[in-house]
Amino acid sequence: MDLIPEGSRLADIGSDHALLPVAAVKSGRVIQAVAGEVNPGPFKAAANQVAEAGMQNLISVRRGDGLAVIEAGEVDVITIAGMGGSLIASILDAGQDKLSQVELLILQPNVGEDILRRWLLEHGWLLTSERILEEDGKIYEILTAVPEQGDQRISSHMLYEDQKWLRCSGDGTFTVTKELLLRMGPWLLKEPTPVLTDKWNSELSKLGGILESLSASKLESAETKTGQIKSEMEQIKEVLACLQKDKP
């Protein structure tokens, strides 16, 4: 909730029990809010939660799909959490006409963070921060983005520009490519945490399992895929090796 600026007008999409809007309004950080839900059960739960808090005049609970629950210019902050990155991207894509006056997106994808980063990059949104945290054995990333502006200190081009890193497991340098930055998170790599390392060690284990499965296949496509995965694993391992040391 600390990512929401003071005095915001908030839309929480997929609000479930409307816990975030209620807490944000109670704190005084948000002056009015919309809690959007497409499914009848969560919609009813959200309405009950808002009524119990006595906030019907400050929080509007609406049933609808994605950004269809708001009007253009009605809010300046949108939060979407607890969905896959692909679904969040599709919600934003379908509701682009509602985003013209939105100043901040706060997004918490469960998976597919790279898909969401790519959507933001391709649709004029600058990724301004990333957080990674572990809760109940699951790892989550929180992304914030603002409309891209030419006079900002950093641009999306600069953020995702290929980077030359000194090798941490051998001699020479290696390139952290735009694709790898999209996948692992440019801000997360700038300020790595143990949770980030845990996540990518887990991903390496999954990729290793895929390699084992591919080794049993005689298809030509399996050989190509094997090469791609090995290359990907080598890149991730090199990045992780560097994250254990001072970043060059």
Side-chain angles (χ1 to χ4, degrees):
M1 190 171 66
D2 61 314
L3 294 172
I4 302 172
E6 295 281 350
S8 294
R9 298 172 301 152
L10 171 71
D12 186 36
I13 306 302
S15 196
D16 197 12
H17 286 66
L19 296 178
L20 175 60
V22 168
V25 171
K26 276 185 177 179
S27 73
R29 189 173 287 271
V30 166
I31 57 175
Q32 63 184 58
V34 174
E37 254 303 337
V38 68
N39 296 312
F43 169 76
K44 184 177 180 180
N48 290 339
Q49 182 74 24
V50 171
E52 288 175 9
M55 293 183 174
Q56 299 96 319
N57 61 328
L58 296 175
I59 303 174
S60 175
V61 182
R62 303 174 189 174
R63 188 176 174 195
D65 192 7
L67 302 187
V69 298
I70 59 173
E71 300 295 330
E74 186 177 11
V75 301
D76 39 55
V77 177
I78 291 176
T79 55
I80 310 178
M83 309 176 196
S86 180
L87 178 55
I88 295 176
S90 69
I91 288 172
L92 294 172
D93 204 54
Q96 287 189 67
D97 59 322
K98 308 295 179 65
L99 297 176
S100 60
Q101 297 181 53
V102 172
E103 299 173 2
L104 177 66
L105 299 175
I106 303 174
L107 312 169
Q108 184 260 295
N110 290 338
V111 294
E113 298 87 358
D114 57 323
I115 296 172
L116 189 51
R117 289 189 188 98
R118 190 180 300 278
W119 187 92
L120 294 169
L121 175 63
E122 293 176 350
H123 290 83
W125 288 85
L126 173 65
L127 186 68
T128 52
S129 75
E130 299 174 301
R131 294 183 182 181
I132 187 166
L133 54 95
E134 185 173 0
E135 188 175 282
D136 297 329
K138 295 183 179 179
I139 293 176
Y140 303 99
E141 295 182 17
I142 303 172
L143 316 181
T144 65
V146 301
E148 183 100 43
Q149 303 291 338
D151 60 351
Q152 287 177 327
R153 288 180 302 168
I154 189 167
S155 66
S156 292
H157 172 73
M158 294 168 61
L159 193 61
Y160 290 109
E161 190 175 20
D162 288 0
Q163 303 173 14
K164 288 287 186 181
W165 285 24
L166 292 174
R167 287 194 177 276
C168 297
S169 60
D171 296 329
T173 65
F174 73 104
T175 301
V176 180
T177 63
K178 172 183 174 182
E179 291 302 314
L180 196 59
L181 289 167
L182 283 165
R183 184 156 189 211
M184 299 185 77
W187 293 111
L188 292 177
L189 293 185
K190 287 177 185 294
E191 298 182 5
T193 66
V195 178
L196 181 68
T197 301
D198 290 345
K199 172 180 177 173
W200 287 102
N201 278 326
S202 176
E203 289 296 319
L204 284 173
S205 296
K206 293 176 186 177
L207 290 171
I210 295 173
L211 278 183
E212 287 186 17
S213 298
L214 288 171
S215 66
S217 174
K218 296 181 180 179
L219 295 175
E220 185 176 339
S221 59
E223 185 176 347
T224 301
K225 185 67 174 176
T226 295
Q228 292 173 345
I229 291 177
K230 284 183 176 179
S231 175
E232 183 180 356
M233 291 179 71
E234 288 173 5
Q235 285 184 307
I236 294 171
K237 286 177 181 177
E238 190 63 57
V239 169
L240 290 180
C242 289
L243 295 187
Q244 306 307 312
K245 303 179 181 181
D246 290 334
K247 183 182 178 300

